[in-house]
Amino acid sequence: MSNREVVVLSVGGMRFVTRASTLQQFPESRLARMLYDDDQEFKLVNGEFFVDRDGTLFSYIMDFLRTLQVSLPTDFSDYQRLQREAEFYGLYLLADVLSQEHLLKPRLEILEVRFSLQEMQAFFRIFGSCSTTVGMLADQITVFTGQQSGHSWNSPFSSQKPLVPLPLERPSHHDIFFQCGTDCSAGDQFVARYVSIKPDDRKLINGTNVLGLLLDTLFKDGFHLVSTRMVSSEEKVECYSLERMKRPAGLTVTVNQTSGISRVAQAKKSQVQKGK
């Protein structure tokens, strides 16, 4: 058996074909020793190793052995069962990582949008529990400024007048501040601020329209509205609280085989999510 190059395993009725070198990634594991030792849990039947264990969970074991990573789907919940399987196969480094459920379980993410109208201007402030999400949202929002003729903030944007993009105010990594609308200037000229939110390419000046687009963008990104309230009736500040359960599309656990030190990294998404 030690001369095998290709090994076939039947685990819980599911068939797996792999290289012997893959099973020997961790020489002290039960899977590696299976090729040499007589283990009662691994029956050799018609050239295949029969194992009476969970075949679906074993697919994650095989993925780990092939890549030295384990990528769990977003709806995965059998951490303890997978940890038990890893221990059965003698993959104790993997079992140790799986025991750190705080690194693997979904996280509740909170976002708060504060919106106020003052005459012909609208002010927005967004607070988020996850600085990464706030940063990504800041990359989607652009404020443009320019001179506008007319007396209404509903006046259409004139493409003949150049608009200058303004940087968003970032008081901290967890919040964003910006405004839109018009501010009275000399004569019939107004300083106008337009807001664009990717992937929508419109430049909106009406605060209510911007609020609607902002909330719609967040809904498409998985947030749902929890509550609305009036923070200040005098200043007319409305607060929209949103939540979502967030887990990376592929949470990847990388294990340093030599030192036994584990770390967790965010897997790169192969596709750009809708709404971003």
Side-chain angles (χ1 to χ4, degrees):
M1 284 189 291
S2 61
N3 295 323
R4 288 173 178 266
E5 292 185 5
V6 177
V7 180
V8 181
L9 301 95
S10 177
V11 184
M14 296 179 64
R15 195 167 182 266
F16 298 86
V17 181
T18 187
R19 294 176 180 272
S21 57
T22 300
L23 298 176
Q24 294 170 334
Q25 287 280 10
F26 295 85
E28 299 303 317
S29 72
R30 203 170 187 176
L31 286 170
R33 291 186 284 107
M34 169 190 75
L35 302 176
Y36 302 92
D37 300 338
D38 184 15
D39 192 323
Q40 294 299 314
E41 295 288 348
F42 300 87
K43 299 291 186 179
L44 188 60
V45 180
N46 298 326
E48 299 183 10
F49 287 98
F50 174 78
V51 189
D52 190 17
R53 304 293 294 193
D54 190 304
T56 301
L57 293 179
F58 188 71
S59 65
Y60 300 116
I61 300 289
M62 284 305 307
D63 182 65
F64 170 73
L65 291 174
R66 287 170 176 148
T67 65
L68 293 183
Q69 298 178 336
V70 55
S71 298
L72 304 178
T74 55
D75 59 349
F76 186 81
S77 60
D78 290 335
Y79 302 105
Q80 293 184 352
R81 292 183 59 212
L82 184 56
Q83 179 187 351
R84 186 167 63 244
E85 293 301 290
E87 291 172 347
F88 171 82
Y89 293 110
L91 298 170
Y92 298 110
L93 290 180
L94 175 59
D96 177 63
V97 173
L98 291 168
S99 69
Q100 304 176 52
E101 295 185 8
H102 65 285
L103 298 176
L104 304 171
K105 285 189 172 181
R107 295 180 293 108
L108 177 64
E109 187 174 352
I110 301 172
L111 203 67
E112 185 177 277
V113 177
R114 295 194 176 190
F115 168 69
S116 65
L117 286 173
Q118 298 179 16
E119 297 181 350
M120 298 174 67
Q121 296 186 78
F123 299 86
F124 296 82
R125 189 156 191 171
I126 304 172
F127 301 86
S129 61
C130 177
S131 60
T132 301
T133 298
V134 174
M136 293 176 64
L137 188 58
D139 290 337
Q140 291 178 255
I141 300 173
T142 306
V143 177
F144 298 90
T145 185
Q147 293 291 324
Q148 174 72 44
S149 299
H151 298 279
S152 171
W153 73 347
N154 288 311
S155 299
F157 158 64
S158 174
S159 59
Q160 296 178 352
K161 298 180 180 180
L163 294 179
V164 179
L166 294 176
L168 297 182
E169 294 185 36
R170 296 292 306 274
S172 74
H173 293 297
H174 290 273
D175 60 336
I176 308 169
F177 176 81
F178 63 94
Q179 66 187 88
C180 66
T182 57
D183 189 13
C184 185
S185 183
D188 65 346
Q189 295 293 311
F190 288 77
V191 175
R193 285 187 176 86
Y194 299 84
V195 174
S196 177
I197 304 177
K198 297 178 183 177
D200 194 301
D201 59 359
R202 291 175 297 171
K203 294 179 176 64
L204 303 177
I205 195 171
N206 185 293
T208 303
N209 293 341
V210 173
L211 176 64
L213 178 59
L214 175 61
L215 293 177
D216 185 59
T217 301
L218 294 173
F219 294 154
K220 290 180 179 178
D221 205 25
F223 284 95
H224 66 275
L225 185 64
V226 176
S227 66
T228 61
R229 70 181 192 276
M230 186 69 72
V231 177
S232 172
S233 58
E234 294 181 357
E235 298 181 359
K236 297 181 180 180
V237 179
E238 301 173 4
C239 179
Y240 298 80
S241 298
L242 303 99
E243 292 181 352
R244 73 173 174 182
M245 295 300 294
K246 183 182 179 183
R247 187 194 293 123
L251 183 62
T252 301
V253 181
T254 305
V255 177
N256 186 315
Q257 185 179 354
T258 304
S259 64
I261 299 174
S262 62
R263 63 184 177 85
V264 176
Q266 174 75 42
K268 294 182 179 179
K269 297 181 181 179
S270 58
Q271 296 180 351
V272 177
Q273 295 180 353
K274 292 182 179 180
K276 291 189 177 182

PDB file of all heavy atoms in Angstrom, residues 254-270:
ATOM      1  N   THR A 254      -5.839  29.417   7.441  1.00  0.00           N
ATOM      2  CA  THR A 254      -4.548  28.941   6.966  1.00  0.00           C
ATOM      3  C   THR A 254      -3.730  28.452   8.151  1.00  0.00           C
ATOM      4  O   THR A 254      -3.565  29.163   9.129  1.00  0.00           O
ATOM      5  CB  THR A 254      -3.779  30.059   6.240  1.00  0.00           C
ATOM      6  OG1 THR A 254      -4.606  30.571   5.190  1.00  0.00           O
ATOM      7  CG2 THR A 254      -2.492  29.521   5.649  1.00  0.00           C
ATOM      8  N   VAL A 255      -3.218  27.247   8.049  1.00  0.00           N
ATOM      9  CA  VAL A 255      -2.456  26.661   9.147  1.00  0.00           C
ATOM     10  C   VAL A 255      -1.006  26.502   8.731  1.00  0.00           C
ATOM     11  O   VAL A 255      -0.703  25.960   7.668  1.00  0.00           O
ATOM     12  CB  VAL A 255      -3.038  25.290   9.556  1.00  0.00           C
ATOM     13  CG1 VAL A 255      -2.198  24.653  10.648  1.00  0.00           C
ATOM     14  CG2 VAL A 255      -4.473  25.440  10.011  1.00  0.00           C
ATOM     15  N   ASN A 256      -0.113  27.019   9.576  1.00  0.00           N
ATOM     16  CA  ASN A 256       1.312  26.834   9.362  1.00  0.00           C
ATOM     17  C   ASN A 256       1.675  25.437   9.852  1.00  0.00           C
ATOM     18  O   ASN A 256       1.693  25.161  11.040  1.00  0.00           O
ATOM     19  CB  ASN A 256       2.092  27.906  10.131  1.00  0.00           C
ATOM     20  CG  ASN A 256       3.577  27.847   9.840  1.00  0.00           C
ATOM     21  OD1 ASN A 256       4.170  26.768   9.820  1.00  0.00           O
ATOM     22  ND2 ASN A 256       4.180  28.997   9.614  1.00  0.00           N
ATOM     23  N   GLN A 257       1.935  24.537   8.919  1.00  0.00           N
ATOM     24  CA  GLN A 257       2.141  23.142   9.249  1.00  0.00           C
ATOM     25  C   GLN A 257       3.365  22.917  10.137  1.00  0.00           C
ATOM     26  O   GLN A 257       3.389  22.050  11.002  1.00  0.00           O
ATOM     27  CB  GLN A 257       2.292  22.329   7.964  1.00  0.00           C
ATOM     28  CG  GLN A 257       2.388  20.830   8.159  1.00  0.00           C
ATOM     29  CD  GLN A 257       2.516  20.108   6.837  1.00  0.00           C
ATOM     30  OE1 GLN A 257       2.420  20.722   5.780  1.00  0.00           O
ATOM     31  NE2 GLN A 257       2.753  18.819   6.880  1.00  0.00           N
ATOM     32  N   THR A 258       4.403  23.734   9.918  1.00  0.00           N
ATOM     33  CA  THR A 258       5.653  23.525  10.644  1.00  0.00           C
ATOM     34  C   THR A 258       5.551  23.949  12.098  1.00  0.00           C
ATOM     35  O   THR A 258       5.878  23.207  13.020  1.00  0.00           O
ATOM     36  CB  THR A 258       6.800  24.297   9.965  1.00  0.00           C
ATOM     37  OG1 THR A 258       6.884  23.881   8.601  1.00  0.00           O
ATOM     38  CG2 THR A 258       8.102  24.037  10.678  1.00  0.00           C
ATOM     39  N   SER A 259       5.051  25.174  12.326  1.00  0.00           N
ATOM     40  CA  SER A 259       5.017  25.698  13.687  1.00  0.00           C
ATOM     41  C   SER A 259       3.708  25.413  14.406  1.00  0.00           C
ATOM     42  O   SER A 259       3.649  25.517  15.626  1.00  0.00           O
ATOM     43  CB  SER A 259       5.245  27.216  13.661  1.00  0.00           C
ATOM     44  OG  SER A 259       4.185  27.845  12.976  1.00  0.00           O
ATOM     45  N   GLY A 260       2.683  25.064  13.636  1.00  0.00           N
ATOM     46  CA  GLY A 260       1.396  24.807  14.273  1.00  0.00           C
ATOM     47  C   GLY A 260       0.641  26.067  14.620  1.00  0.00           C
ATOM     48  O   GLY A 260      -0.351  26.031  15.324  1.00  0.00           O
ATOM     49  N   ILE A 261       1.113  27.206  14.137  1.00  0.00           N
ATOM     50  CA  ILE A 261       0.442  28.473  14.408  1.00  0.00           C
ATOM     51  C   ILE A 261      -0.621  28.690  13.349  1.00  0.00           C
ATOM     52  O   ILE A 261      -0.371  28.506  12.162  1.00  0.00           O
ATOM     53  CB  ILE A 261       1.452  29.640  14.401  1.00  0.00           C
ATOM     54  CG1 ILE A 261       2.500  29.433  15.493  1.00  0.00           C
ATOM     55  CG2 ILE A 261       0.739  30.966  14.593  1.00  0.00           C
ATOM     56  CD1 ILE A 261       3.602  30.469  15.464  1.00  0.00           C
ATOM     57  N   SER A 262      -1.812  29.081  13.762  1.00  0.00           N
ATOM     58  CA  SER A 262      -2.900  29.283  12.814  1.00  0.00           C
ATOM     59  C   SER A 262      -3.245  30.751  12.734  1.00  0.00           C
ATOM     60  O   SER A 262      -3.044  31.510  13.669  1.00  0.00           O
ATOM     61  CB  SER A 262      -4.141  28.490  13.237  1.00  0.00           C
ATOM     62  OG  SER A 262      -4.602  28.934  14.487  1.00  0.00           O
ATOM     63  N   ARG A 263      -3.774  31.131  11.597  1.00  0.00           N
ATOM     64  CA  ARG A 263      -4.237  32.488  11.430  1.00  0.00           C
ATOM     65  C   ARG A 263      -5.457  32.460  10.521  1.00  0.00           C
ATOM     66  O   ARG A 263      -5.683  31.498   9.788  1.00  0.00           O
ATOM     67  CB  ARG A 263      -3.165  33.392  10.820  1.00  0.00           C
ATOM     68  CG  ARG A 263      -2.743  33.002   9.415  1.00  0.00           C
ATOM     69  CD  ARG A 263      -1.623  33.888   8.921  1.00  0.00           C
ATOM     70  NE  ARG A 263      -1.165  33.495   7.610  1.00  0.00           N
ATOM     71  CZ  ARG A 263      -1.721  33.888   6.472  1.00  0.00           C
ATOM     72  NH1 ARG A 263      -2.768  34.676   6.507  1.00  0.00           N
ATOM     73  NH2 ARG A 263      -1.251  33.490   5.313  1.00  0.00           N
ATOM     74  N   VAL A 264      -6.235  33.516  10.578  1.00  0.00           N
ATOM     75  CA  VAL A 264      -7.436  33.599   9.761  1.00  0.00           C
ATOM     76  C   VAL A 264      -7.298  34.773   8.816  1.00  0.00           C
ATOM     77  O   VAL A 264      -6.868  35.848   9.218  1.00  0.00           O
ATOM     78  CB  VAL A 264      -8.686  33.777  10.654  1.00  0.00           C
ATOM     79  CG1 VAL A 264      -9.935  33.964   9.791  1.00  0.00           C
ATOM     80  CG2 VAL A 264      -8.852  32.564  11.554  1.00  0.00           C
ATOM     81  N   ALA A 265      -7.650  34.574   7.566  1.00  0.00           N
ATOM     82  CA  ALA A 265      -7.564  35.640   6.564  1.00  0.00           C
ATOM     83  C   ALA A 265      -8.855  35.685   5.776  1.00  0.00           C
ATOM     84  O   ALA A 265      -9.516  34.672   5.599  1.00  0.00           O
ATOM     85  CB  ALA A 265      -6.372  35.393   5.624  1.00  0.00           C
ATOM     86  N   GLN A 266      -9.168  36.872   5.284  1.00  0.00           N
ATOM     87  CA  GLN A 266     -10.365  37.040   4.451  1.00  0.00           C
ATOM     88  C   GLN A 266     -10.044  36.569   3.041  1.00  0.00           C
ATOM     89  O   GLN A 266      -9.122  37.063   2.416  1.00  0.00           O
ATOM     90  CB  GLN A 266     -10.773  38.508   4.423  1.00  0.00           C
ATOM     91  CG  GLN A 266     -11.908  38.813   3.481  1.00  0.00           C
ATOM     92  CD  GLN A 266     -13.226  38.355   4.045  1.00  0.00           C
ATOM     93  OE1 GLN A 266     -13.481  38.525   5.218  1.00  0.00           O
ATOM     94  NE2 GLN A 266     -14.050  37.780   3.209  1.00  0.00           N
ATOM     95  N   ALA A 267     -10.777  35.591   2.562  1.00  0.00           N
ATOM     96  CA  ALA A 267     -10.567  35.094   1.215  1.00  0.00           C
ATOM     97  C   ALA A 267     -10.982  36.152   0.207  1.00  0.00           C
ATOM     98  O   ALA A 267     -11.951  36.866   0.416  1.00  0.00           O
ATOM     99  CB  ALA A 267     -11.367  33.821   0.984  1.00  0.00           C
ATOM    100  N   LYS A 268     -10.244  36.265  -0.878  1.00  0.00           N
ATOM    101  CA  LYS A 268     -10.600  37.217  -1.918  1.00  0.00           C
ATOM    102  C   LYS A 268     -11.840  36.723  -2.644  1.00  0.00           C
ATOM    103  O   LYS A 268     -11.944  35.561  -3.001  1.00  0.00           O
ATOM    104  CB  LYS A 268      -9.441  37.375  -2.912  1.00  0.00           C
ATOM    105  CG  LYS A 268      -8.207  38.023  -2.299  1.00  0.00           C
ATOM    106  CD  LYS A 268      -7.130  38.202  -3.331  1.00  0.00           C
ATOM    107  CE  LYS A 268      -5.905  38.874  -2.732  1.00  0.00           C
ATOM    108  NZ  LYS A 268      -4.833  39.032  -3.730  1.00  0.00           N
ATOM    109  N   LYS A 269     -12.773  37.595  -2.858  1.00  0.00           N
ATOM    110  CA  LYS A 269     -13.991  37.218  -3.538  1.00  0.00           C
ATOM    111  C   LYS A 269     -13.736  37.122  -5.035  1.00  0.00           C
ATOM    112  O   LYS A 269     -13.167  38.011  -5.640  1.00  0.00           O
ATOM    113  CB  LYS A 269     -15.111  38.231  -3.248  1.00  0.00           C
ATOM    114  CG  LYS A 269     -15.488  38.288  -1.774  1.00  0.00           C
ATOM    115  CD  LYS A 269     -16.604  39.262  -1.541  1.00  0.00           C
ATOM    116  CE  LYS A 269     -16.962  39.321  -0.058  1.00  0.00           C
ATOM    117  NZ  LYS A 269     -18.034  40.279   0.220  1.00  0.00           N
ATOM    118  N   SER A 270     -14.166  36.024  -5.593  1.00  0.00           N
ATOM    119  CA  SER A 270     -13.929  35.799  -7.022  1.00  0.00           C
ATOM    120  C   SER A 270     -14.853  36.652  -7.884  1.00  0.00           C
ATOM    121  O   SER A 270     -14.542  36.927  -9.037  1.00  0.00           O
ATOM    122  CB  SER A 270     -14.130  34.332  -7.355  1.00  0.00           C
ATOM    123  OG  SER A 270     -15.436  33.914  -7.013  1.00  0.00           O
TER     124      SER A 270
END
